[in-house]
Amino acid sequence: MRGTALTIARWIGRGTFKAAALIGAFILIVVLWLWDASILTRAADENLRLIKAATRVLPPDWASKTESALRIFGADRALLLVEGVALAKLIMLGIVQPFRRRRPWRRN
């Protein structure tokens, strides 16, 4: 029973971490938007250039259709959210890292 409870606790901890990272990303995006919205616009433009570069490997007809679909679905802004989540996770891990215990190395 102890192993099951530990596994459940780990999954709850991971879920809490991911939820906090998502909320942190939204907060970072809102703060950036209030501070200087042009930063978000430039980041979205760079993400769109990344999407264009990735779709160039497809056949010409597919590339334009894929790029149009990704623009319609807001992939450049979705990438912005993913980047925000990654940044929020780095910030959280940077804050917590000094307080983490080192696990002793064991041989089996």
Side-chain angles (χ1 to χ4, degrees), residues 48 51-52 55 58 60-78:
L48 192 55
I51 290 168
K52 284 182 180 181
T55 57
L58 298 172
D61 188 36
W62 285 26
S64 65
K65 289 179 183 177
T66 304
E67 184 182 334
S68 297
L70 289 173
R71 281 187 183 186
I72 289 170
F73 293 124
D76 53 339
R77 280 151 188 88

Side-chain angles (χ1 to χ4, degrees), residues 14 17 24 26 38 51-52 66-68 71 73 75 85 89 91-92 96:
R14 288 177 183 164
F17 179 76
F26 280 123
S38 67
I51 290 168
K52 284 182 180 181
T66 304
E67 184 182 334
S68 297
R71 281 187 183 186
F73 293 124
V85 168
K89 284 183 178 181
I91 291 169
M92 288 190 312
V96 174

Side-chain angles (χ1 to χ4, degrees), residues 24-45:
F26 280 123
I27 291 170
L28 282 172
I29 289 171
V30 168
V31 167
L32 273 175
W33 181 62
L34 292 173
W35 182 50
D36 188 6
S38 67
I39 295 172
L40 294 175
T41 304
R42 281 184 276 162
D45 289 342

Side-chain angles (χ1 to χ4, degrees), residues 75-105:
D76 53 339
R77 280 151 188 88
L79 280 173
L80 192 63
L81 180 62
V82 169
E83 293 161 355
V85 168
L87 184 61
K89 284 183 178 181
L90 283 174
I91 291 169
M92 288 190 312
L93 287 174
I95 291 170
V96 174
Q97 185 63 34
F99 303 106
R100 294 187 75 179
R101 289 183 297 163
R102 289 190 169 248
R103 292 185 182 162
W105 186 72

